Amino acid sequence: MVLLHQKGPSRKRPPSTFISPFPPPKIPKPPTTTTTTTTRSTDTPTVDNSTRDSANDDREGYMDKMVSLLADAECTLINLTGPPCLPSDLHKFRRHLQRLFSSDSTLRSHFLSGYYSYIQNPGHLHRVLIPCYQNGLGSTKRESLTRILLLVPSIQLELQNMLLEKLPEYFDVDPVDCHSSSLDEDVARLIINHFRWLDFLVDSKVFTDKLLQVLSICPLHLKKEIIGSLPDIIGDQNNKAVVDSLEQMLQEDSSVIVPVLDSFSNLKLDDQLQEQVITIALSCIRTIDSEHLPNLLRFLLLSATPLNVRRIIYQIRTQLKFIGLSNSRAMQHKKLKGKALVDSSEASILDALKSSLRFKNTLCQEILKELRCLDKAWDHKVIDIWLLMLIYMSSEQLRKSVEKILRKKIVEGLIQEGLFDQCIRGNKELVQDYFPSFVSLSEHLLACKEQKARNFGMHIYTALFEEFSDTCSRQEVLGALVTHVGSGISFEVNSALETMVFLASKYSQELVRFSYHINGILDYLEAFSNENLHKVYEVFSHLALSARSGIDPCASFIANELLMIVRKQVSNPDLKYKKMGLIGTLKIVSCFGSADITICPSASEVSNKSNIEEALELLKASTDSCKLLPLPLILFYDELITTLENKVLHPAIMEWIGKHVGEFESMFLADLEGGNLPCIDSYGGLEGELWMNLDGDISPICLNVLPLASSSFQSPSSLQVLPVNFLLLSVIERLANQGSLGGIDALLGCPLHLPSSKYFTERAWQSLSGKQKKIVCLSLFYAANWTRELLNVFCTQVAGNPEYTSQATREELIGKLSKRLRNLVFLECLLDHFLKSYSLSLPELQLHTEYLVHAEKKNEHKRLHASSTSKNNKKDKKISKDSVNGSSQKHKQPTIIDVLKKAGSVTSEEVPDKDTPKQSTSETAECQNSDPQPANVDVSAVYKVLEAQRHKFRPLRIYSFSILEFTKNQDSCCTDPSAELPLYLYLVRDLHYKLDCFSPPNKLLSSKCLSCPPGLSKMTVYEFLRKIDSLFPVLKKHFSSAISIIDEGTETCEEHWKVQSDLAGNPYIPGFFVPKSSVSCSFCKEILSCIGKMLSLPDIHMNLSVLSNLLEAFQPVKISDSIFSNAQEIPSPGNLEYLYCGSYSFLEEVLDIAICSSFVLASEVLFTLESIVNSVHKYLDTVVEGNGKNIHTGRGFVRAVLPTLRNRLGNSALNILRHDWDDNNLVNDWKGKGDIVQKVLRIFLEYSESTSDLLDELACSILPQVKEIVLLEKSKEGVQPENVKSILIKVQQSVNVVVSLVNMCRTHDKVAVHAMTVKFGGKFVDLFLKVFDFLQTHFKMHNGLIIRLVKELQKATRTIQTLCSEAKGLKQTSITSKIPATKRSMERFLFQVKALLHTASSGCTFWMGNLKHKDLMGQVVSSQAYDDDRNDPTDEHHMEAGVENQSVASEEEVTEKN
C-alpha cells in the first residue's frame, strides 16, 4: 500500500476544479534568464551575445516545430485558459506520433528539444503534467499530455530522463505544505505519479537505474512516496537492483521502513530475493522506532513459509523488547466515540501479532513448537506470554495445547510470576481486551493438581484484581473464585479460598460492595474441611469488620448475617455444626478483637467498643455451649490457642480469657502437706499414691488424676480438657510475662495422683474388675497426655537460650524435662502393656479432620477386633446382650445420648459403642481365660496397641525435640550413652510420624498432605524443615553413639534404667527392661528412616540450605577416594555435590557394621543409600535449570559420580543378599521379612549393569531352588541396544524370567504367590503388547525368533488361565479381584498375535480355540471333560488351561508349517 495523502491521477480520474495556467505561488520560480543545463560542452570558455541569441532562436524554433507537430495531430498546446487540449482519439494520436518519429529521426530530435525547452518554464511544465481536456468531450478531464507522450515508445526514455532531471528542482518544497496541498499543485508528486502504471517500459534497466539515482538524493517525504510507488513504476523487472538499493537506504535511514516493507510486499520476488528481504527485515527489529514495529512484524509473519517460519519466530522472540517500547502512556486514556483506545506501541504490536496469527493459522502451531523446545527459565520472555495469550484468544482448537504448555512450564519452574507481572501490572488499558483470556487461563491453573500451577493461578487472579479497579472486572474475578469454591475438589477449593483470604485481608473495604456475589459461600459450609472453614470465616470476618466500621449503613447486613449464622451453629447440638460455629467464633474474635485494628476516620469509639463487645459475647456463648461437651471444648481451646499465638488481642478480651483459665487450679489440682496426700481415700475401689514427684517434700500441689478419672463414670470427664486447658493457661502466662512461665513452673515438678503401683503386677491386675481396669488405663492415659503438654510448654523456656531464662533456671528445667520424658516413656509403655489384655477405646483429646478420624478409627477397630478371642461363643452371647441391642440400633434415628457419646461426654461404659459391640466380650474373655505369666516388657519396643489409637493423644510440638540437644549424665552411675537412648528413640519415632504426615506412603493417603500433621498447625513442609534443621548435628551425634554400641557389642549396665527411672519418680514395677542392642538398632533404624523421608520430600530440593545442613551433619571423617574415581574435578568440601558423596560414604561405613549385626538395620541403611541416589537425580534436574560457572561445574561432577554411586548401591544390595544371616541377626526368624527381601532384590536388579541377565539367572537358575517366591519382578529395558537382534534377545530373556516364575506356581500353593502371579503376569503382558509395533516391523527378518518368543510366553498365559479358574472355584478373593484386568490383557495379546501373523503372511498358521479345563499339574478336570474333545482338531496342539466359560476364546496356538 502506498501512503498518499491524496490519490494520484489514474486512468479513471474524477473531475476536479479548473487549474490556472499560471504557476502556483508556492512552487519556486526559476531564474529569469534561461539556464543551459542541457547545453553541450564547448571548447571555448565564454560565449558571446550573438551565440546566445542564436541558441535562443534555435530553442524557439524547436518549440514552434513541437507545437506545430502537436497541432497537426489535433492537440492544442497553447491554451491560455488551462491545460492543453487533446484529441478525442488518443490511441490514434499516439500511433500518429510514433509513425512520425520512427520514420524521421531528425523530427524526433527537434520535437524532444522543443519539448525540453517548453518545460523549462515552470508554468508550462505544470500545464503538461495536469489532466487535459479532450476535444468533443466537453469539460471532461482525462490524461495529461506528458502521460500520453510517455506512451509513445520512440520518445519514452528521453521524456523519462527529462522529468527525472526536473525533479530535483522541486526538492525544496515544504513537506507540510506539500501534504496540505492537492496533488495537482505538487509538481514533484505529479512527475512521480506519471511513471506509475505505464503500459510498458522501453528500457526498464536504464530507467530503474536513473530513478534509483534520483531516489538516493530525494528528501524524506518524497523518498517515501517514490519507494512506496516502486512496484507500480518498474513492475516486476530489475527486482534485484531495487532490493539492494532499498537495503542500502534502510541502513542509512531506518525511518523509510514502512514504504520499503510495502514495496517488498508488492514486488514479485523469487525465493532467493524473498529470503534476502526477510533477512533485511529481521535485522531492523532492534534498530527501527517502536511506532514502525507493528508494520515490520506484520510483514515478517505474513511472509513466513514452512522453511523460514521458525527462524522468523526465533528472531522476533529474541530481538523484540516488548516492555518499555512507548515513551509515554498519556495517550492511553483518550477516548474516541465512546471506546477507549490504547495509543501505544505495545497495543499496536499486539494487534499486528493478533491479526497475523488469525490470518495465518500455521503460525500458531509453529510458535507452540518453538516454545515447547525452550528448556531454560532465562530463555522465556514477556513476548512469549503474550504470544500464548494471543493464541489462546484467537484459536479455540489450540486452547488445550496452550494450557498444557503453560502448566508444564510453570510446574517445571521455567515460567516465573514476574513475566505475568510485567504483562499485567501497569498495563491496564493494554490488558483490557485480553482480560477474559487471563481470567480463563487462571481458572485452568487454579484447577490443576500441581501446587505450583495453583499458586500461579492465585497470583494472576490477585494481579488482575489489583490492576483493574472497575466493578465489572473485579466482579468477574470474584465470580470465578466463587466458582472454584463450589467445585467440591479439595485442592481447588483450598487455593481459591487462599486467594480470597488475601484479597479480603488487603482490600476488605473494596470487597464489601461485592458481598452479595460471594455471600452464597455461607450456604455450603457443611462441605468444607476444617482448614477451609478457617479460610471462609476469615474472609467474611474481614468483610464484616469493614462493613461495621464503614459509613454505609446498608453494608452492615453482611456482619449481621455472619454473626447470626455463627450463633446458630454454636448452639446446635450436632458436633459438625458446633465445630463450624466455634471456628467461626474465633475467626471473628481475631478480627473484631485485634489490638492493631486501624479504625476508619468516619468510625467512632462507640463502634470500636461494639466490636469488642460482640467478640466477648461470642466467646462467652461458645464457652457456655461447650461446658458439658469435652470434644467441642477441646477444639475451642485449641483454636483459641492458635489465635493467641498469631494475633494480639484487645486487653479486654485477654482479661476475660485470663479469668476463664484461672479456674484451672480448683478443677485439676489438690493441695499436699509436706509433699504427701493429706488423706488416703479409695476411688472406685482403688487406692492411690503420688507418682513422679520431682520437687520432693516442697511440692505444694499434685495433679488430681485418679479422683477425676473415677468420677468420670457419673459425669463428663474434665480430664479430657486437662491437657489443652493447661496449654491455654501457659499461653496466657507467657503473653502476660514476656515469654516467661515462672508463675506456673511448680506444675512441671508436681506429682501425679495415680493408682497404686501394686495393681500393676500380673496377679493384681487380674483381680481387678472391668471398671477398675478402665479407671487405671484412663488414669495412665491422662497422665501421659499431661506429661506431653508439660514437655510442649516448658521446652519453650530452654529452646534457643531465651533471654528471660537464667542459666541456673535453664539447667534446672533441662533436668526436669529429661525426667518428664522418662516419665512419659514409662507411662505409655505401661499403658500399652496392659491394653494388650484389656481392650479399651481411649477417649479423644483432640478433634481431627474427617479423613484422619475415619482412617485411624478403622485401623483401631481392626486391631481391637483382632485382639478379641472367639473361643467362648456362649459367654459372648450372654455378656454381649447390650452389644446386640446396640448393633440393632444402627438403622435407628440417633438419640441425644448418641450425640453426647459422640461428643465424649458419655463414656463407652455407660452407653455401648455401636462400632465396637464385641469389646466387652473381649474384655471378659481375656480376664477369665487368659493366664498371663510374668513377662519381660521391652520399654524401647513399638507400642503396637497404642499406635492404633495414637491420633487420640495430644501431639508433641517441635519445641519438644530440643530435649535431644540436652545431655544429662550427672546422675548416672556411669557414662554409658545407652541410658538415654530409649528417650531419644521415643522422640525420633514421633519425628518419623510427623514426616509420614507430610509424605504419605501411597496415593490413597495423598489427601493427608493437604492438612498439617497434629501439632503443626498451619505449618508448611519448608517451615517444618527449617525448624528442625538445628537437630541434624544432634541426631548424628546420637546415631554415632548407637552405632558404636552395636559395633562394640558390650553388655549394658543393668542399673542404668532403674537408677534413671527412680530419679524420675517412676514407681518400681518388675519386668520392665531396656535391651541395649534392641534400642540401638531401633534408634538407628528410625534415624535412617527419617533421613530417607526428608530426602524424599519434594520441597527439600527447592530449599538447598536445609538439604545442605542435612547432608553436612552426616559426614565421615574421610571420604573414600573410590567415589571420586570417575570425576575429573573434585568439588571443594562444603559444596552440595561433595556433601552428597560424603553422606553416601558415611552410610556405607555404617552398612559394614550393620551387616554384621542386624538384617533389618542393614536393609534400612541400604534404603537410605537409595534415597541419597534418588536425591542426587532430583538435584541434577534442579541444577540443569541453573546457570553460572559453579553450577555447570557441579553438574558435570554429579553426572560423573552418579554412575559410581549407582554401581556401589547395587554392590551393597548384593552384599546383603549374599551374607550368611544367622538367627542372632534376625528377629522372629524370616517371618515378615519378605517385603524387605523384595526391596533389597529390586535395588540389586535395578542398580546393576545388566538387569536382563540377572533376571534370567535368578528366575531360571536360582529361584527354582528356593521354596518360596518372594518377588515377581518386571523386566526393565536398560540402555538402547545396538541392533534389533540384541533387543529381541533381551525381550526373550524377560519372557524366560516371567515363564519361569509363573511356572513355579505349579509346585507352590501359597495364595499370596498366586495372587502376585496373576497381577504382575497381566501387567507384563501389557508391557509386552507395547512392543508389537516393533515386532511387526522386524517380523520378516526375525520371524523365527519372534515366533519362539510368542510361543514361550504362551506357556505363562496358560498357567495364569489355570490360576484364574482355580481361584474362582475356590473363591479366593485376593486373586479374583485381579482376574478381570489380567483377562483383558491376555485377550488383547491373543488378537494382537493373530493380527501380527495375518498381516505378516509369513507362512505361519494360527489356530484359536477353547481350552480344556485342566489343573496346575496338567490333569483334565473330569467334570468338564467333553466327549467330542477327541475330535477337536486343536487338541493335539494345545497345552490347555482351564476356564469356566468355554464359549469364550481365551488362548491361542502358533505353529509353523512343515
Side-chain angles (χ1 to χ4, degrees), residues 482 511-521 540 543 554-558 561:
V482 172
L511 282 180
V512 170
R513 56 177 174 167
F514 300 104
S515 56
Y516 288 101
H517 302 283
I518 63 178
N519 215 27
I521 296 177
F540 284 96
L543 297 183
C554 299
S556 62
F557 84 94
I558 187 172
E561 184 172 356

Side-chain angles (χ1 to χ4, degrees), residues 136-420:
L137 295 179
S139 60
T140 303
K141 289 185 178 182
R142 286 296 188 79
E143 302 287 353
S144 66
L145 175 61
T146 303
R147 177 77 178 188
I148 301 302
L149 294 177
L150 284 172
L151 295 177
V152 178
S154 57
I155 60 174
Q156 183 190 71
L157 183 60
E158 287 77 4
L159 288 178
Q160 289 172 339
N161 291 335
M162 290 181 192
L163 293 174
L164 290 175
E165 290 176 356
K166 294 294 293 180
L167 198 60
E169 297 179 11
Y170 299 91
F171 283 175
D172 56 349
V173 177
D174 187 2
V176 177
D177 295 337
C178 172
H179 293 321
S180 61
S181 62
S182 64
L183 177 63
D184 290 349
E185 296 175 356
D186 190 345
V187 176
R189 293 173 62 200
L190 280 174
I191 294 175
I192 296 302
N193 201 52
H194 276 70
F195 296 145
R196 300 174 66 186
W197 300 309
L198 292 175
D199 294 344
F200 59 89
L201 290 176
V202 174
D203 193 340
S204 62
K205 185 179 185 308
V206 174
F207 171 65
T208 301
D209 293 341
K210 185 70 174 180
L211 178 62
L212 293 178
Q213 290 177 8
V214 175
L215 179 62
S216 63
I217 61 173
C218 286
L220 181 61
H221 73 281
L222 191 58
K223 183 181 292 187
K224 293 181 179 180
E225 182 85 16
I226 298 175
I227 292 174
S229 304
L230 281 178
D232 302 331
I233 295 175
I234 65 174
D236 300 332
Q237 303 173 7
N238 305 306
N239 288 339
K240 175 64 175 173
V242 173
V243 170
D244 293 340
S245 178
L246 293 180
E247 180 181 7
Q248 181 66 30
M249 292 180 188
L250 273 178
Q251 294 175 357
E252 297 172 355
D253 185 5
S254 62
S255 61
V256 297
I257 182 67
V258 175
V260 168
L261 294 178
D262 287 337
S263 294
F264 286 160
S265 301
N266 294 324
L267 290 174
K268 294 183 179 180
L269 305 175
D270 56 23
D271 294 341
Q272 182 177 358
L273 286 178
Q274 186 67 30
E275 284 302 311
Q276 182 180 351
V277 165
I278 295 295
T279 303
I280 295 171
L282 290 175
S283 65
C284 295
I285 294 179
R286 287 184 178 272
T287 58
I288 66 171
D289 295 335
S290 59
E291 59 181 346
H292 301 317
L293 270 175
N295 301 82
L296 178 60
L297 295 176
R298 188 180 292 108
F299 168 78
L300 286 171
L301 293 176
L302 296 181
S303 302
T305 63
L307 297 178
N308 60 21
V309 62
R310 297 296 290 272
R311 180 168 69 101
I312 293 175
I313 295 172
Y314 174 79
Q315 292 294 333
I316 290 175
R317 287 186 56 259
T318 55
Q319 297 190 38
L320 180 61
K321 296 180 180 179
F322 189 73
I323 296 299
L325 290 177
S326 61
N327 297 325
S328 175
R329 296 185 178 273
M331 299 297 294
Q332 293 182 359
H333 303 284
K334 287 188 176 182
K335 293 186 176 180
L336 181 63
K337 296 182 180 180
K339 182 178 180 181
L341 298 178
V342 183
D343 187 14
S344 66
S345 57
E346 289 96 337
S348 302
I349 289 173
L350 292 181
D351 289 338
L353 293 173
K354 180 169 63 175
S355 61
S356 301
L357 294 179
R358 286 180 175 176
F359 184 78
K360 214 165 187 178
N361 291 331
T362 55
L363 290 172
C364 298
Q365 295 284 1
E366 296 299 330
I367 290 174
L368 294 181
K369 289 180 182 178
E370 177 73 16
L371 295 181
R372 284 193 189 100
C373 297
L374 303 179
D375 57 355
K376 302 291 187 300
W378 60 81
D379 288 337
H380 294 78
K381 306 180 184 301
V382 178
I383 188 62
D384 297 335
I385 305 299
W386 279 114
L387 288 174
L388 289 173
M389 295 305 302
L390 291 174
I391 297 173
Y392 190 80
M393 184 178 182
S394 304
S395 177
E396 291 286 343
Q397 296 81 5
L398 295 177
R399 280 200 166 195
K400 293 294 183 183
S401 299
V402 173
E403 292 171 351
K404 185 177 180 181
I405 291 174
L406 193 59
R407 178 176 62 182
K408 183 175 182 293
K409 290 186 176 293
I410 289 173
V411 172
E412 293 175 353
L414 301 180
I415 291 182
Q416 307 292 337
E417 293 176 352
L419 293 179
F420 273 88

